[in-house]
Amino acid sequence: MNTAALARILAVTALTLSAHAQSEWAVVSGPGTREDHAMVHDSARGRTVLFGGFDSEGGTWEFDRTAWRLVAHDGPGARWGHAMAYDPLRQRTVLFGGFRYGSSYVGDTWEWDGEVWTEIVTPGPSARWGSAMSFDSNTGTVLLFGGSTGGDETWSFDGTTWTLLGTQGPSARTSHSMVLDAQRDRVVLFGGSESSFVIHDDTWEWDGVAWTQKVVTGPAGRVDHAMTFDPSTQRVLLQGGDTFTVSAPGFRDTWSWDGANWQLEDSDGPELKRARIAFDTVRNRVLLLGGIRDLNGGGQVHSNRTLEWNGAEWVTAMPELDGPYTLYRHAMVYDPVRERTIVFGGIDDNGGLRDETWEWDGFRWSLVATTGPSARFGHVMAYDSDRDVIVMYGGSDGVGLLDTWEWNGQAWNQVTTNHPGTRLYSSMEYDPISQRMILFGTRIFPDIFANTWTFDGQTWTQLAVNGPLGRYGATMTRDPSGGLVLFGGYDGDFTPMGDTWVWDGQSWSQPLVTGPVPRAFCRMVYDPTRNRAVLFGGQVSIATIFEDAWEWNGAVWNQVLQTGTVPPGRGTFGMAFDIARDRIVLFGGEDPLGLNKEQGRTWEWPQANDAATDRYLGVGCIGTADRPCLTTTGPTPRLGTTWSCRLERAPASGVPALDLAFALLDLGVPIAPIPLDLIGMDGCELRVANADFTIVVPTSNGQGDWSIPLPDDASLAGTPFAHQVVALDANANAFGLTTSNTLAGTFGY
């Protein structure tokens, strides 16, 4: 590509800069636990698209091979039991119906183009949940069958109009699955249930004109199973499901369909129902997310794991995609030297105790240790800034634990020392004045203690001081005026407390202030940038939990107005302040009523209006190696760090010197897409106005990586950017170039 050609592409209008948005809570890990959601793969953009599900907030998630990203909050309202299919001809994900919270069945139609949802207001199927949809390659339309109303109806959607094709075919049903067999151009349907809870084990195929039942032996009758087409084997894959029988476990089996016979591929897979699967064309794997399984003793376990099918069994796709198990009563603290948030222990949603150590680096979770302290809950951890170690004490594994451990960033080491006795749900924080750990309170059933202990790295010492009444489940952090501040907790009668206490390095004092209503198991962290202690959440009783936020400035409490989506109320969660990225990190927790099943998510709340953001826009245009795809391989772009990017599906010319791409970075907001058909780049579009920086990227084996060192300049925080790649591809079109999708956002600090 010559300079003149590049100039022709970049000859577009100037831009106006966007205002920097007010900081809000944001989900920064995967989609978390959910069931009855919908998931499809957008092959044009190389993204797996997920929407909705029971106990979800209604956001749209996409998986881009490296991570799940929350890409949209607006669009269809929160719902479950809806149907979704990808239309490859129009490059749109189509959504229909479902059950809306606080409402009933809905019959709306929406389309997702990779950037925004658009409602298609047109007559069509009646409001319903439990239907199934698939693309029909014979007619070039989306096919819908069944549901809670009109359960024997077959409909088609062409992007504008719904058409009722008839009621001849499978009997009325819900909770069935349907997918296109792209090898044979047939839509395959299996299973489901009638309103009388009669469960089907029949297999049907649609050829674009009519349904035909396939009389075969295969999977047992089931509902809430998942199906997709695996092009690597040219077979339809079916996994899991349920029987509606409360006392019976869900199915663990995985089957494949070749158009003539069902074949059992695995009898010992994940025991999940209401999970969803889709084939990821980038990873060449079938992905599975979410679902639930029944417990033998009653109750259910919700999964937040992303699994993949390797052709023989289901395995964890990438541990960092999901992070720690859904946890509560764990411990969480920030390590400022290594710039990592650390989580240890806790109880998972199966009731099991965990002994893993996890790190959060602002982009992904990493499992860093499985040896060290034994599995436990109700323990305490705090960072010792004088010795650069994390100290952990106590907790329980059913019996009170008396051990002291230290984490140095690489391994746990047990400290041989005396101990303060059994401690459960105590409060502990490092005191910068006395340069000692301060530990206060505990519950040792049926007693509650009010003693104060210090730890200097070698010895625990009880202090002869008066202070707060005995309690457990209180929260403690650095005080903006120096020393420490403690709030809340339960007394011995399970009565929540709302008093505030300050430790000055030698003694406790109680300021006479009003603030948050009494509560326990809230969390409080210290923000050194603004010199504030920030409190979130907590609980009064089984029936009352909080999702409010407060700040303590050393003298008074002020309630914080939280905008946007706020983490659902919870107790016994973990919260830490990430100093390097100036934000609160929240993970896990417990809803005593069990109504909120999203504690497997990681949330962040930037505490300044300079948060780094990024989002994907548009799609690449067809080249000799499919559509070039731009993605990131690290955290969002933060000034003072290195921003890492990658081009996937890059063309290969056979001449390494010609395998080049040009990464264009514009310090401005992206422009409306400009079609490049007139210069011979059919189907390509440009969203970058000016190439303030151009990076030459050699590619190999369809991939190219580059890094951009960002200046350590806080005045640049909030600067918008648009990043797009132009790749040499002589055989792609008349102009010999292709474009990628666009990465847009703002630089943070």
Side-chain angles (χ1 to χ4, degrees), residues 180-483:
L180 172 67
D181 182 334
Q183 173 70 12
R184 300 183 307 109
D185 291 324
R186 295 290 186 271
V187 175
V188 181
L189 180 152
F190 180 83
S193 169
E194 296 181 10
S195 58
S196 58
F197 295 101
V198 175
I199 294 179
H200 297 289
D201 62 357
D202 49 350
T203 304
W204 292 79
E205 290 191 342
W206 171 263
D207 61 5
V209 178
W211 287 101
T212 301
Q213 185 173 5
K214 311 294 286 188
V215 182
V216 293
T217 301
R222 64 191 67 197
V223 295
D224 295 327
H225 47 294
M227 293 203 314
T228 193
F229 179 69
D230 183 346
S232 66
T233 61
Q234 304 295 332
R235 291 170 176 262
V236 169
L237 198 71
L238 178 152
Q239 191 279 327
D242 190 25
T243 62
F244 280 145
T245 303
V246 176
S247 60
F251 290 102
R252 305 175 67 99
D253 48 353
T254 302
W255 294 76
S256 67
W257 169 255
D258 63 3
N261 298 289
W262 285 102
Q263 177 175 316
L264 179 63
E265 301 288 348
D266 182 19
S267 61
D268 193 30
E271 182 191 315
L272 293 171
K273 55 189 178 184
R274 302 176 198 162
R276 294 295 180 264
I277 61 177
F279 187 83
D280 183 336
T281 58
V282 177
R283 289 173 60 85
N284 289 317
R285 291 285 191 275
V286 174
L287 293 181
L288 179 151
L289 178 86
I292 59 174
R293 68 181 178 88
D294 295 314
L295 297 176
N296 293 333
Q300 295 176 325
V301 176
H302 289 70
S303 173
N304 70 335
R305 317 310 283 173
T306 303
L307 306 178
E308 66 180 16
W309 175 252
N310 64 10
E313 61 180 344
W314 293 97
V315 296
T316 299
M318 289 188 285
E320 62 270 22
L321 285 179
D322 308 305
Y325 293 85
T326 300
L327 294 175
Y328 59 98
R329 305 185 196 183
H330 51 293
M332 178 167 159
V333 69
Y334 181 69
D335 180 341
V337 172
R338 287 164 282 273
E339 298 185 353
R340 298 290 189 270
T341 295
I342 307 297
V343 165
F344 176 81
I347 305 175
D348 64 28
D349 56 5
N350 194 20
L353 298 184
R354 312 304 308 186
D355 61 358
E356 298 96 347
T357 304
W358 292 82
E359 281 187 349
W360 172 252
D361 65 2
F363 181 64
R364 61 182 49 157
W365 286 100
S366 299
L367 179 61
V368 292
T370 55
T371 59
S374 59
R376 66 190 65 201
F377 68 94
H379 48 296
V380 287
M381 290 198 317
Y383 179 74
D384 183 331
S385 57
D386 184 55
R387 298 185 301 116
D388 291 333
V389 294
I390 291 173
V391 179
M392 188 194 77
Y393 181 77
S396 173
D397 60 3
V399 177
L401 300 170
L402 306 173
D403 45 351
T404 302
W405 292 79
E406 292 184 345
W407 171 256
N408 62 12
Q410 297 180 329
W412 286 101
N413 297 292
Q414 187 169 3
V415 181
T416 303
T417 180
N418 62 327
H419 57 77
T422 300
R423 296 271 161 171
L424 186 65
Y425 308 128
S426 296
S427 303
M428 188 171 76
E429 185 58 80
Y430 181 75
D431 174 17
I433 298 177
S434 64
Q435 297 183 329
R436 300 286 190 272
M437 283 290 169
I438 301 296
L439 184 147
F440 177 82
T442 189
R443 177 184 182 182
I444 307 174
F445 187 82
D447 299 317
I448 302 296
F449 290 91
N451 43 28
T452 302
W453 289 74
T454 68
F455 180 65
D456 61 5
Q458 296 180 333
T459 305
W460 286 99
T461 303
Q462 185 174 354
L463 301 181
V465 295
N466 296 319
L469 295 175
R471 67 192 65 200
Y472 65 99
T475 184
M476 186 164 65
T477 191
R478 289 276 302 275
D479 181 58
S481 299

Side-chain angles (χ1 to χ4, degrees), residues 475-512:
T475 184
M476 186 164 65
T477 191
R478 289 276 302 275
D479 181 58
S481 299
L484 306 176
V485 57
L486 179 145
F487 176 83
Y490 283 131
D491 68 11
D493 296 323
F494 196 63
T495 300
M497 310 175 82
D499 48 347
T500 302
W501 289 80
V502 172
W503 171 260
D504 64 4
Q506 295 182 332
S507 62
W508 290 101
S509 62
Q510 183 181 10
L512 300 178

